[in-house]
Coordinates of all heavy atoms in Angstrom, one line a residue:
G20 N 76.2 112.1 68.1 CA 77.6 111.9 68.4 C 77.7 110.7 69.3 O 76.8 109.9 69.6
I21 N 79.0 110.5 69.7 CA 79.3 109.2 70.5 C 79.0 109.4 72.0 O 79.0 108.4 72.7 CB 80.8 108.8 70.2 CG1 81.0 107.5 70.7 CG2 81.7 109.9 70.8 CD1 82.3 106.9 70.3
F22 N 79.0 110.7 72.4 CA 78.9 110.9 73.9 C 77.8 110.2 74.6 O 78.0 109.7 75.7 CB 78.8 112.4 74.1 CG 80.0 113.2 73.7 CD1 80.1 114.1 72.7 CD2 81.3 112.8 74.2 CE1 81.2 114.8 72.3 CE2 82.4 113.4 73.8 CZ 82.4 114.4 72.8
P23 N 76.5 110.1 74.0 CA 75.5 109.4 74.7 C 75.9 108.0 75.0 O 75.5 107.4 76.0 CB 74.3 109.5 73.8 CG 74.6 110.7 72.9 CD 76.0 110.8 72.8
Y24 N 76.6 107.3 74.1 CA 77.0 105.9 74.3 C 78.1 105.8 75.3 O 78.0 104.9 76.1 CB 77.5 105.4 72.9 CG 76.4 105.4 71.9 CD1 76.5 106.3 70.8 CD2 75.3 104.5 71.9 CE1 75.5 106.4 69.9 CE2 74.3 104.5 71.0 CZ 74.4 105.4 70.0 OH 73.4 105.5 69.0
V25 N 79.0 106.7 75.4 CA 80.1 106.7 76.4 C 79.5 107.0 77.7 O 79.9 106.5 78.7 CB 81.2 107.7 76.0 CG1 82.3 107.7 77.0 CG2 81.8 107.3 74.6
L26 N 78.5 107.9 77.8 CA 77.8 108.2 79.0 C 77.0 107.0 79.5 O 77.0 106.7 80.7 CB 76.8 109.4 78.9 CG 77.4 110.8 78.8 CD1 76.4 111.9 78.4 CD2 77.9 111.1 80.2
K27 N 76.4 106.3 78.6 CA 75.6 105.1 79.0 C 76.6 104.0 79.5 O 76.2 103.3 80.5 CB 74.9 104.6 77.8 CG 73.9 103.5 78.0 CD 72.7 104.1 78.8 CE 71.6 103.1 78.8 NZ 70.5 103.5 79.6
L28 N 77.7 103.9 79.0 CA 78.7 102.9 79.5 C 79.2 103.2 81.0 O 79.4 102.3 81.7 CB 80.0 102.9 78.7 CG 79.8 102.2 77.3 CD1 81.1 102.4 76.4 CD2 79.6 100.6 77.5
L29 N 79.1 104.5 81.4 CA 79.5 104.8 82.7 C 78.5 104.2 83.7 O 78.8 104.0 84.9 CB 79.5 106.4 83.0 CG 80.7 107.1 82.5 CD1 80.5 108.6 82.7 CD2 81.9 106.7 83.3
Q30 N 77.3 103.9 83.3 CA 76.3 103.4 84.1 C 76.3 101.8 84.2 O 75.6 101.2 85.0 CB 74.9 103.8 83.6 CG 74.7 105.3 83.7 CD 73.4 105.7 82.9 OE1 72.6 104.8 82.4 NE2 73.2 107.0 82.9
S31 N 77.2 101.3 83.4 CA 77.4 99.8 83.4 C 77.8 99.3 84.8 O 78.6 99.9 85.5 CB 78.4 99.4 82.4 OG 78.7 98.0 82.5
P32 N 77.3 98.2 85.2 CA 77.7 97.6 86.5 C 79.1 96.9 86.4 O 79.7 96.5 87.4 CB 76.6 96.6 86.8 CG 76.1 96.2 85.5 CD 76.2 97.4 84.6
A33 N 79.6 96.8 85.1 CA 80.9 96.1 84.9 C 82.1 96.9 85.4 O 82.4 97.9 84.8 CB 81.1 95.7 83.5
P34 N 82.7 96.5 86.5 CA 83.8 97.3 87.0 C 85.0 97.3 86.1 O 85.8 98.3 86.2 CB 84.1 96.6 88.4 CG 83.6 95.3 88.2 CD 82.4 95.3 87.3
E35 N 85.2 96.5 85.2 CA 86.4 96.4 84.3 C 86.3 97.6 83.3 O 87.3 97.9 82.7 CB 86.5 95.1 83.6 CG 85.4 94.7 82.6 CD 84.3 93.9 83.4 OE1 84.3 93.9 84.6 OE2 83.5 93.5 82.6
L36 N 85.1 98.2 83.1 CA 85.0 99.3 82.2 C 85.3 100.6 82.8 O 85.6 101.6 82.2 CB 83.5 99.4 81.7 CG 83.0 98.3 80.8 CD1 81.5 98.5 80.4 CD2 83.9 98.2 79.5
R37 N 85.3 100.7 84.2 CA 85.6 101.9 84.8 C 86.9 102.6 84.5 O 87.0 103.8 84.1 CB 85.4 101.7 86.3 CG 85.5 102.9 87.1 CD 84.1 103.7 87.2 NE 83.0 102.7 87.6 CZ 81.8 102.7 87.0 NH1 81.5 103.6 86.1 NH2 80.9 101.9 87.4
R38 N 88.0 101.8 84.6 CA 89.3 102.5 84.3 C 89.5 103.0 82.8 O 89.9 104.1 82.7 CB 90.4 101.5 84.6 CG 90.5 101.1 86.1 CD 91.6 100.2 86.4 NE 91.4 99.1 85.7 CZ 91.9 97.8 86.1 NH1 92.6 97.8 87.3 NH2 91.7 96.8 85.5
P39 N 89.1 102.2 81.8 CA 89.2 102.8 80.5 C 88.4 103.9 80.2 O 88.7 104.9 79.6 CB 88.9 101.6 79.5 CG 88.5 100.4 80.4 CD 88.8 100.8 81.8
L40 N 87.1 104.0 80.9 CA 86.1 105.1 80.7 C 86.7 106.4 81.4 O 86.5 107.4 80.8 CB 84.8 104.7 81.2 CG 84.0 103.7 80.3 CD1 82.8 103.2 81.0 CD2 83.7 104.3 79.0
V41 N 87.3 106.2 82.5 CA 87.9 107.4 83.2 C 89.0 108.0 82.2 O 89.0 109.2 82.1 CB 88.4 107.0 84.5 CG1 89.3 108.1 85.1 CG2 87.4 106.6 85.5
A42 N 89.8 107.1 81.7 CA 90.9 107.6 80.8 C 90.2 108.3 79.6 O 90.7 109.3 79.1 CB 91.8 106.4 80.4
I43 N 89.2 107.6 79.0 CA 88.6 108.2 77.8 C 88.0 109.6 78.1 O 88.2 110.5 77.3 CB 87.5 107.2 77.2 CG1 88.1 106.0 76.6 CG2 86.6 107.9 76.3 CD1 87.1 104.9 76.4
W44 N 87.2 109.7 79.2 CA 86.6 111.0 79.5 C 87.7 112.0 79.8 O 87.5 113.2 79.6 CB 85.7 110.8 80.7 CG 84.3 110.4 80.2 CD1 83.7 109.3 80.2 CD2 83.4 111.4 79.4 NE1 82.5 109.3 79.5 CE2 82.3 110.6 79.1 CE3 83.5 112.7 79.1 CZ2 81.3 111.2 78.4 CZ3 82.5 113.2 78.3 CH2 81.4 112.4 77.9
A45 N 88.8 111.6 80.5 CA 89.9 112.6 80.7 C 90.5 113.1 79.4 O 90.7 114.3 79.3 CB 91.0 111.9 81.6
A46 N 90.6 112.2 78.5 CA 91.1 112.6 77.1 C 90.1 113.5 76.5 O 90.5 114.5 75.8 CB 91.4 111.4 76.3
I47 N 88.8 113.2 76.5 CA 87.8 114.0 75.9 C 87.8 115.4 76.5 O 87.8 116.4 75.8 CB 86.4 113.3 76.0 CG1 86.3 112.1 75.1 CG2 85.3 114.3 75.7 CD1 85.1 111.2 75.4
L48 N 87.8 115.5 77.8 CA 87.7 116.8 78.5 C 89.0 117.6 78.3 O 89.0 118.8 78.3 CB 87.4 116.6 80.0 CG 86.0 116.1 80.3 CD1 85.9 115.7 81.7 CD2 85.0 117.1 79.8
A49 N 90.2 116.9 78.1 CA 91.4 117.6 77.9 C 91.4 118.3 76.5 O 91.9 119.4 76.3 CB 92.6 116.7 78.0
F50 N 90.6 117.7 75.6 CA 90.6 118.2 74.3 C 89.4 119.3 74.1 O 89.6 120.3 73.5 CB 90.3 117.1 73.2 CG 90.2 117.6 71.8 CD1 91.3 118.0 71.1 CD2 88.9 117.4 71.2 CE1 91.2 118.4 69.8 CE2 88.8 117.9 69.9 CZ 89.9 118.4 69.2
D51 N 88.3 119.0 74.8 CA 87.1 119.8 74.7 C 86.3 119.8 76.0 O 85.5 118.9 76.2 CB 86.2 119.4 73.5 CG 85.0 120.2 73.3 OD1 84.9 121.2 73.9 OD2 84.1 119.8 72.5
D52 N 86.6 120.8 76.8 CA 86.0 120.8 78.1 C 84.5 121.2 78.1 O 83.8 121.1 79.1 CB 86.8 121.5 79.1 CG 86.7 123.1 78.9 OD1 86.2 123.5 77.9 OD2 87.1 123.8 79.9
S53 N 84.0 121.6 76.9 CA 82.6 121.8 76.9 C 81.7 120.6 77.0 O 80.5 120.7 77.3 CB 82.2 122.6 75.5 OG 82.4 121.6 74.5
C54 N 82.3 119.5 76.9 CA 81.6 118.2 77.1 C 81.2 118.0 78.6 O 80.5 117.1 78.9 CB 82.4 117.0 76.7 SG 82.7 117.1 74.9
K55 N 81.8 118.8 79.5 CA 81.6 118.6 80.9 C 80.1 118.9 81.2 O 79.5 118.3 82.1 CB 82.4 119.6 81.7 CG 82.1 121.0 81.6 CD 83.0 121.9 82.4 CE 82.8 123.4 82.2 NZ 83.8 124.1 83.0
H56 N 79.4 119.6 80.3 CA 78.0 119.9 80.5 C 77.2 118.6 80.3 O 76.2 118.5 81.1 CB 77.5 121.0 79.6 CG 78.3 122.3 79.8 ND1 78.2 123.1 80.9 CD2 79.2 122.9 79.0 CE1 79.0 124.1 80.9 NE2 79.6 124.0 79.7
D57 N 77.6 117.8 79.4 CA 76.9 116.5 79.3 C 77.1 115.6 80.5 O 76.1 114.9 80.9 CB 77.5 115.7 78.1 CG 77.3 116.4 76.7 OD1 76.2 117.0 76.5 OD2 78.2 116.4 75.9
L58 N 78.2 115.6 81.2 CA 78.4 114.8 82.4 C 77.6 115.4 83.5 O 77.0 114.6 84.2 CB 79.9 115.0 82.8 CG 80.8 114.0 81.9 CD1 82.3 114.3 82.3 CD2 80.5 112.6 82.0
L59 N 77.5 116.7 83.6 CA 76.7 117.3 84.7 C 75.1 117.1 84.4 O 74.4 116.8 85.4 CB 77.0 118.8 84.8 CG 78.3 119.1 85.5 CD1 78.6 120.6 85.3 CD2 78.2 118.8 87.0
K60 N 74.8 117.3 83.3 CA 73.3 117.3 82.9 C 72.8 115.8 83.2 O 71.7 115.7 83.7 CB 73.1 117.6 81.4 CG 71.7 117.4 81.0 CD 71.6 117.8 79.5 CE 72.4 116.7 78.7 NZ 72.2 116.8 77.3
D61 N 73.6 114.8 82.9 CA 73.2 113.5 83.1 C 73.5 112.9 84.5 O 73.3 111.7 84.7 CB 73.7 112.6 82.0 CG 73.2 112.9 80.6 OD1 72.1 113.4 80.6 OD2 73.8 112.6 79.6
G62 N 74.2 113.7 85.3 CA 74.6 113.2 86.6 C 75.7 112.2 86.6 O 75.8 111.5 87.6
A63 N 76.4 112.1 85.5 CA 77.4 111.1 85.3 C 78.7 111.4 86.2 O 79.5 110.5 86.4 CB 77.8 110.9 83.9
H64 N 78.8 112.6 86.6 CA 80.0 113.0 87.5 C 80.1 112.2 88.7 O 81.2 112.0 89.2 CB 80.0 114.5 87.8 CG 78.8 114.9 88.5 ND1 77.5 115.0 88.0 CD2 78.7 115.3 89.8 CE1 76.7 115.5 88.9 NE2 77.3 115.6 90.0
V65 N 78.9 111.7 89.2 CA 79.0 110.8 90.5 C 79.8 109.6 90.3 O 80.3 109.0 91.2 CB 77.5 110.5 91.0 CG1 76.8 111.8 91.4 CG2 76.7 109.8 90.0
H66 N 79.8 109.1 89.1 CA 80.6 107.9 88.8 C 82.1 108.1 89.0 O 82.8 107.2 89.4 CB 80.3 107.4 87.3 CG 78.8 107.0 87.1 ND1 78.3 105.9 87.7 CD2 77.9 107.6 86.4 CE1 77.1 105.7 87.4 NE2 76.8 106.8 86.6
F67 N 82.5 109.3 88.6 CA 83.9 109.6 88.9 C 84.3 109.8 90.4 O 85.3 109.4 90.8 CB 84.3 110.8 88.1 CG 84.1 110.7 86.6 CD1 83.1 111.1 86.0 CD2 85.1 110.0 85.9 CE1 82.9 110.9 84.5 CE2 85.0 109.7 84.6 CZ 83.9 110.1 83.9
V68 N 83.3 110.4 91.1 CA 83.4 110.5 92.5 C 83.5 109.1 93.1 O 84.4 108.8 94.0 CB 82.2 111.3 93.2 CG1 82.3 111.2 94.7 CG2 82.2 112.7 92.7
A69 N 82.6 108.2 92.7 CA 82.6 106.8 93.3 C 84.0 106.0 92.9 O 84.5 105.4 93.7 CB 81.5 106.0 92.7
H70 N 84.4 106.3 91.7 CA 85.7 105.7 91.3 C 86.9 106.2 92.1 O 87.7 105.5 92.6 CB 85.9 106.0 89.8 CG 87.2 105.3 89.2 ND1 87.4 104.0 89.2 CD2 88.4 105.9 88.8 CE1 88.5 103.7 88.7 NE2 89.1 104.9 88.4
A71 N 86.9 107.6 92.4 CA 88.0 108.1 93.2 C 87.9 107.6 94.7 O 89.0 107.3 95.3 CB 87.8 109.7 93.2
A72 N 86.7 107.4 95.2 CA 86.5 106.9 96.5 C 87.0 105.5 96.5 O 87.6 105.1 97.6 CB 85.0 107.0 96.9
K73 N 86.7 104.6 95.6 CA 87.2 103.3 95.5 C 88.7 103.2 95.6 O 89.4 102.5 96.2 CB 86.6 102.5 94.4 CG 87.0 101.1 94.3 CD 86.3 100.4 95.5 CE 86.7 98.9 95.3 NZ 86.2 98.2 96.5
L74 N 89.3 104.1 94.7 CA 90.7 104.2 94.6 C 91.4 104.6 96.0 O 92.4 104.1 96.4 CB 91.2 105.2 93.5 CG 90.8 104.8 92.1 CD1 91.1 105.9 91.2 CD2 91.6 103.6 91.7
A75 N 90.7 105.5 96.6 CA 91.2 105.9 98.0 C 91.2 104.8 99.0 O 92.0 104.6 99.8 CB 90.4 107.2 98.5
E76 N 90.1 103.9 98.9 CA 90.0 102.8 99.8 C 91.2 101.9 99.5 O 91.7 101.2 100.4 CB 88.7 102.1 99.5 CG 87.5 102.8 100.1 CD 86.2 102.1 99.8 OE1 86.3 101.0 99.3 OE2 85.1 102.7 100.0
L77 N 91.5 101.6 98.3 CA 92.5 100.7 97.9 C 93.9 101.2 98.3 O 94.7 100.4 98.7 CB 92.5 100.5 96.3 CG 91.4 99.7 95.7 CD1 91.4 99.7 94.2 CD2 91.3 98.2 96.4
R78 N 94.0 102.6 98.2 CA 95.3 103.1 98.7 C 95.5 102.9 100.2 O 96.6 102.9 100.7 CB 95.4 104.6 98.3 CG 95.8 104.7 96.9 CD 96.3 106.2 96.6 NE 95.3 107.2 97.0 CZ 94.3 107.7 96.4 NH1 94.1 107.2 95.2 NH2 93.5 108.6 96.9
R79 N 94.3 102.9 100.9 CA 94.4 102.7 102.5 C 94.5 101.4 102.8 O 94.5 101.0 104.0 CB 93.2 103.4 103.0 CG 93.2 104.9 103.0 CD 92.1 105.5 103.9 NE 90.8 105.1 103.6 CZ 90.0 105.7 102.7 NH1 90.4 106.9 102.2 NH2 88.8 105.3 102.5
G80 N 94.5 100.5 101.8 CA 94.7 99.0 102.1 C 93.4 98.2 102.2 O 93.5 97.1 102.8
A81 N 92.4 98.7 101.6 CA 91.1 98.0 101.7 C 91.3 96.6 100.9 O 92.1 96.6 100.0 CB 90.0 98.8 101.0
P82 N 90.5 95.6 101.2 CA 90.7 94.3 100.5 C 90.4 94.5 99.0 O 89.4 95.3 98.7 CB 89.6 93.4 101.1 CG 89.3 94.1 102.5 CD 89.6 95.5 102.3
A83 N 91.2 93.9 98.2 CA 91.0 94.1 96.7 C 89.9 93.2 96.2 O 89.8 92.1 96.7 CB 92.3 93.9 96.0
E84 N 89.2 93.6 95.2 CA 88.3 92.7 94.5 C 89.1 92.0 93.4 O 90.2 92.2 93.2 CB 87.2 93.5 93.9 CG 86.4 94.3 95.0 CD 85.5 95.3 94.4 OE1 85.4 95.5 93.2 OE2 84.7 95.9 95.2
A85 N 88.3 91.0 92.7 CA 88.9 90.2 91.6 C 89.4 91.1 90.5 O 90.4 90.8 89.9 CB 87.9 89.3 91.1
D86 N 88.8 92.2 90.3 CA 89.3 93.2 89.2 C 90.1 94.3 89.7 O 90.2 95.3 89.1 CB 88.0 93.7 88.5 CG 87.3 94.7 89.4 OD1 87.1 94.3 90.6 OD2 86.7 95.6 88.9
A87 N 90.7 94.1 90.9 CA 91.5 95.2 91.5 C 92.5 95.7 90.5 O 93.1 95.1 89.7 CB 92.2 94.6 92.7
I88 N 92.7 97.0 90.8 CA 93.7 97.8 90.0 C 95.1 97.5 90.5 O 95.3 97.2 91.7 CB 93.3 99.2 90.1 CG1 94.2 100.1 89.1 CG2 93.5 99.8 91.4 CD1 93.7 101.4 88.9
E89 N 96.1 97.4 89.5 CA 97.5 97.3 89.9 C 97.9 98.4 90.8 O 97.6 99.5 90.5 CB 98.3 97.1 88.7 CG 97.9 96.0 87.8 CD 96.7 96.4 86.9 OE1 96.5 97.6 86.6 OE2 95.9 95.5 86.5
P90 N 98.8 98.2 91.8 CA 99.2 99.2 92.6 C 99.9 100.4 91.8 O 99.7 101.6 92.2 CB 100.3 98.6 93.5 CG 99.9 97.2 93.5 CD 99.3 96.8 92.2
E91 N 100.6 100.1 90.8 CA 101.3 101.2 90.0 C 100.3 102.0 89.2 O 100.6 103.1 88.8 CB 102.4 100.6 89.1 CG 101.9 99.5 88.1 CD 101.9 98.1 88.6 OE1 102.1 97.9 89.9 OE2 101.5 97.2 87.9
A92 N 99.2 101.4 89.0 CA 98.1 102.2 88.2 C 97.2 103.1 89.1 O 96.5 103.9 88.7 CB 97.3 101.3 87.4
L93 N 97.3 102.9 90.4 CA 96.5 103.6 91.4 C 96.6 105.1 91.2 O 95.7 105.9 91.2 CB 96.8 103.2 92.9 CG 96.0 102.0 93.4 CD1 96.5 101.6 94.7 CD2 94.5 102.2 93.4
E94 N 97.9 105.5 91.2 CA 98.2 107.0 91.1 C 97.7 107.6 89.8 O 97.0 108.6 89.7 CB 99.7 107.3 91.2 CG 100.0 108.7 91.2 CD 101.5 109.0 91.5 OE1 102.1 108.1 92.2 OE2 102.0 109.9 90.9
D95 N 97.9 106.8 88.7 CA 97.4 107.4 87.4 C 95.9 107.4 87.4 O 95.3 108.5 87.0 CB 97.8 106.4 86.2 CG 99.3 106.5 86.0 OD1 99.9 107.5 86.3 OD2 99.9 105.6 85.3
Q96 N 95.2 106.4 87.8 CA 93.8 106.5 87.9 C 93.2 107.5 88.8 O 92.3 108.3 88.5 CB 93.2 105.1 88.3 CG 93.2 104.1 87.1 CD 92.2 104.5 86.1 OE1 91.0 104.6 86.4 NE2 92.6 104.6 84.8
S97 N 93.9 107.7 90.0 CA 93.5 108.8 90.8 C 93.6 110.2 90.2 O 92.8 111.0 90.3 CB 94.4 108.7 92.1 OG 94.2 107.5 92.8
L98 N 94.8 110.3 89.5 CA 95.0 111.7 88.8 C 93.9 111.9 87.7 O 93.5 113.0 87.5 CB 96.4 111.8 88.3 CG 97.5 111.9 89.3 CD1 98.9 111.7 88.6 CD2 97.4 113.2 90.0
L99 N 93.6 110.8 86.9 CA 92.7 111.0 85.8 C 91.3 111.3 86.5 O 90.6 112.2 85.9 CB 92.6 109.7 85.0 CG 93.8 109.5 84.1 CD1 93.7 108.1 83.5 CD2 93.9 110.5 83.0
A100 N 90.9 110.6 87.5 CA 89.5 110.9 88.1 C 89.5 112.3 88.6 O 88.5 113.0 88.5 CB 89.2 109.9 89.2
A101 N 90.6 112.8 89.3 CA 90.7 114.1 89.9 C 90.6 115.1 88.7 O 89.9 116.2 88.9 CB 92.0 114.3 90.7
F102 N 91.2 114.9 87.6 CA 91.2 115.8 86.5 C 89.8 115.9 85.9 O 89.3 117.1 85.7 CB 92.2 115.3 85.4 CG 92.1 116.1 84.1 CD1 92.7 117.4 84.0 CD2 91.3 115.6 83.0 CE1 92.5 118.1 82.9 CE2 91.2 116.4 81.9 CZ 91.8 117.7 81.8
V103 N 89.2 114.8 85.7 CA 87.8 114.8 85.2 C 86.9 115.6 86.3 O 86.1 116.6 85.7 CB 87.2 113.4 85.0 CG1 85.7 113.5 84.8 CG2 87.9 112.7 83.9
L104 N 87.0 115.3 87.5 CA 86.2 116.1 88.5 C 86.5 117.5 88.5 O 85.6 118.4 88.6 CB 86.3 115.4 89.8 CG 85.6 114.0 89.9 CD1 86.0 113.4 91.3 CD2 84.1 114.1 89.8
A105 N 87.7 117.9 88.5 CA 88.2 119.3 88.5 C 87.7 120.0 87.2 O 87.2 121.2 87.3 CB 89.7 119.4 88.6
T106 N 87.8 119.4 86.1 CA 87.3 120.0 84.9 C 85.8 120.2 84.9 O 85.2 121.3 84.5 CB 87.7 119.1 83.6 OG1 89.1 119.0 83.7 CG2 87.2 119.8 82.4
V107 N 85.1 119.2 85.4 CA 83.6 119.3 85.5 C 83.2 120.5 86.5 O 82.3 121.2 86.3 CB 83.0 118.0 86.0 CG1 81.6 118.1 86.4 CG2 83.1 117.0 84.8
C108 N 83.9 120.6 87.6 CA 83.6 121.6 88.6 C 84.0 122.9 88.3 O 83.4 124.0 88.6 CB 84.2 121.2 89.9 SG 83.5 119.7 90.6
R109 N 85.1 123.1 87.4 CA 85.5 124.5 87.0 C 84.5 125.2 86.3 O 83.9 124.9 85.3 CB 86.7 124.3 86.2 CG 87.5 125.6 85.9 CD 88.7 125.5 85.0 NE 88.3 125.1 83.6 CZ 88.9 124.1 83.0 NH1 90.0 123.4 83.5 NH2 88.5 123.8 81.8
G110 N 84.1 126.4 86.9 CA 83.1 127.3 86.4 C 81.7 126.8 86.6 O 80.8 127.5 86.1
A111 N 81.5 125.7 87.2 CA 80.1 125.3 87.5 C 79.5 126.1 88.6 O 80.2 126.6 89.5 CB 80.1 123.8 87.9
E112 N 78.2 126.4 88.5 CA 77.5 127.1 89.4 C 77.2 126.3 90.7 O 76.9 125.1 90.6 CB 76.2 127.6 88.9 CG 76.3 128.6 87.8 CD 75.1 129.1 87.2 OE1 74.0 128.9 87.9 OE2 75.1 129.6 86.1
A113 N 77.2 126.9 91.8 CA 77.0 126.1 93.1 C 75.6 125.7 93.3 O 74.7 126.2 92.7 CB 77.5 126.9 94.3

């Protein structure tokens, strides 16, 4: 399937991939949340935590980078990252 490739892209150092990948994973998990096991197994959920943390810094007024997200997209990206993390955590064992 395509999931190993999408998981591999999450490890990319290219920050411009982060936003589309968050949207892609949110759509995948909205359709089939059984894919959350792939994210947990490979430790990819930490990329969504890092993305959410970066968004929180930007909302607090941290200096923007060259690839900074537009202010109007901050809320959407925050919601998508939160959705992915909530879906991954739902039903997970502690």
Side-chain angles (χ1 to χ4, degrees):
I21 193 169
F22 296 118
Y24 300 105
V25 180
L26 280 170
K27 191 72 167 169
L28 283 172
L29 279 175
Q30 298 170 1
S31 169
E35 65 272 9
L36 292 178
R37 190 77 54 219
R38 292 183 301 210
L40 287 171
V41 169
I43 288 168
W44 273 106
I47 289 170
L48 291 171
F50 179 72
D51 180 8
D52 72 351
S53 70
C54 298
K55 68 184 179 182
H56 303 292
D57 294 322
L58 289 173
L59 285 171
K60 178 180 67 174
D61 294 335
H64 60 287
V65 298
H66 297 289
F67 297 99
V68 173
H70 184 65
K73 182 67 175 172
L74 293 170
E76 288 177 13
L77 290 173
R78 280 195 310 273
R79 287 192 302 266
E84 298 171 355
D86 67 322
I88 189 168
E89 303 80 29
E91 58 274 3
L93 274 174
E94 186 175 328
D95 289 344
Q96 281 291 302
S97 297
L98 289 171
L99 289 172
F102 173 78
V103 169
L104 290 169
T106 302
V107 166
C108 291
R109 186 179 65 227
E112 295 180 17

